[in-house]
Amino acid sequence: MIRIVLADDQPLVRAGLRALLENSSDMEVVAAAADGEEAVSVVRSSLPDVVLMDIRMPGTDGLEATRRIRADPELAATRVLILTTFEFDQYVFEALRAGASGFLVKNIEPDRLRQAVRATVRGESLLAPNVTRRLIEQFVRPAGDGAEGLSALTDRERDVLALVAEGLSNAEIAARLFLSPATVKTHLHRIMTKLDARDRAQLVIQAYEVGLVRPRWL
């Protein structure tokens, strides 16, 4: 059973999400919160698998709540999915940087919502590569020395990371580098470990920030 916390300041949204999720036999909404402060509290008490987190809430917003949840060692197994009205919201980028596993636009279809929750529990980053790339290109500002920032990576691992940042899937990376998909997956695991990245989204952010890949506007 997937345990879920809902955080949204609109009661109707919370009720609708609860109904959609609990229509599935493998999901249970264990708590709900109307603001970020309450969200952090109920997450600490209920230890859910996934938090569906609205960004713009009164008082403590979803961005700060995401930071607190992801910074708490006791909540390492809890993943955060951001709920937003707009795909290219600057706060979405900041939430990804804070450790969110992805984001959902609120007009998502019910089946896609449930699939997204399951994917997040499996440890997948819920971001279409092309959306990730456009989002980061809009808001990231490269800083630092790329060579220094990626010094722990082998040349092949840098190749893989650069293609991840360009929006390629594992299968596409395998074809481009003449590797098996399993080998690409192994490289990604090692890259995440070396760069202390939680998921694919954070890898893309780091690749842009250290200048391994360059936004089109530079």
Side-chain angles (χ1 to χ4, degrees), residues 88-113:
F88 302 112
D89 186 334
Q90 182 173 5
Y91 294 107
V92 171
F93 173 71
E94 295 301 331
L96 296 176
R97 179 178 274 164
S101 294
F103 72 91
L104 301 173
V105 180
K106 286 187 176 180
N107 63 0
I108 188 171
E109 294 293 329
D111 285 344
R112 295 269 303 183
L113 173 64

Side-chain angles (χ1 to χ4, degrees), residues 142-146 150 206-214:
D145 180 357
L150 302 177
Q206 290 194 44
Y208 273 94
E209 287 184 329
V210 301
L212 181 64
V213 289
R214 308 292 287 181

Side-chain angles (χ1 to χ4, degrees), residues 86-96 103 127-141 201 205 208 216-217:
F86 305 104
E87 279 189 3
F88 302 112
D89 186 334
Q90 182 173 5
Y91 294 107
V92 171
F93 173 71
E94 295 301 331
L96 296 176
F103 72 91
L127 288 164
N130 62 322
V131 174
T132 311
R133 183 179 180 183
R134 283 181 287 159
L135 181 73
I136 290 172
E137 285 189 350
Q138 185 168 353
F139 295 116
V140 75
R141 294 294 181 272
I205 290 171
Y208 273 94
R216 286 188 293 266
W217 39 257

Side-chain angles (χ1 to χ4, degrees), residues 7-216:
D8 195 291
D9 62 326
Q10 299 182 40
L12 188 59
V13 172
R14 294 197 302 272
L17 288 171
R18 181 187 289 271
L20 289 174
L21 294 167
E22 292 191 336
N23 191 42
S24 178
S25 61
D26 62 341
M27 297 183 190
E28 175 187 12
V29 176
V30 297
D35 59 53
E37 193 70 36
E38 186 180 9
V40 174
S41 177
V42 298
V43 167
R44 285 174 174 161
S45 62
S46 61
L47 300 177
D49 301 300
V50 179
V51 184
L52 292 181
M53 182 80 74
D54 189 18
I55 291 182
R56 303 185 185 191
M57 296 183 287
T60 302
D61 64 15
L63 179 58
E64 177 60 25
T66 298
R67 287 196 189 103
R68 293 187 195 177
I69 291 169
R70 297 306 302 154
D72 189 335
E74 295 185 2
L75 302 177
T78 297
R79 296 183 178 272
V80 178
L81 273 177
I82 296 297
L83 291 171
T84 182
T85 305
F86 305 104
E87 279 189 3
F88 302 112
D89 186 334
Q90 182 173 5
Y91 294 107
V92 171
F93 173 71
E94 295 301 331
L96 296 176
R97 179 178 274 164
S101 294
F103 72 91
L104 301 173
V105 180
K106 286 187 176 180
N107 63 0
I108 188 171
E109 294 293 329
D111 285 344
R112 295 269 303 183
L113 173 64
R114 290 185 283 264
Q115 291 170 13
V117 170
R118 294 185 186 104
T120 302
V121 171
R122 293 195 299 267
E124 299 173 14
S125 177
L126 194 72
L127 288 164
N130 62 322
V131 174
T132 311
R133 183 179 180 183
R134 283 181 287 159
L135 181 73
I136 290 172
E137 285 189 350
Q138 185 168 353
F139 295 116
V140 75
R141 294 294 181 272
D145 180 357
E148 180 181 350
L150 302 177
S151 60
L153 303 185
T154 65
D155 289 343
R156 177 57 81 193
E157 288 167 350
R158 290 192 193 199
D159 292 341
V160 170
L161 177 57
L163 294 177
V164 168
E166 288 182 16
L168 274 64
S169 67
N170 284 8
E172 291 168 334
I173 293 171
R176 180 78 65 88
L177 298 179
F178 302 101
L179 301 172
S180 71
T183 299
V184 171
K185 188 173 182 180
T186 298
H187 281 309
L188 281 172
H189 177 74
R190 290 173 179 167
I191 294 167
M192 287 182 186
T193 300
K194 290 179 179 180
L195 298 184
D196 194 26
R198 299 182 184 92
D199 52 37
R200 197 182 193 97
Q202 289 202 327
L203 286 181
V204 178
I205 290 171
Q206 290 194 44
Y208 273 94
E209 287 184 329
V210 301
L212 181 64
V213 289
R214 308 292 287 181
R216 286 188 293 266

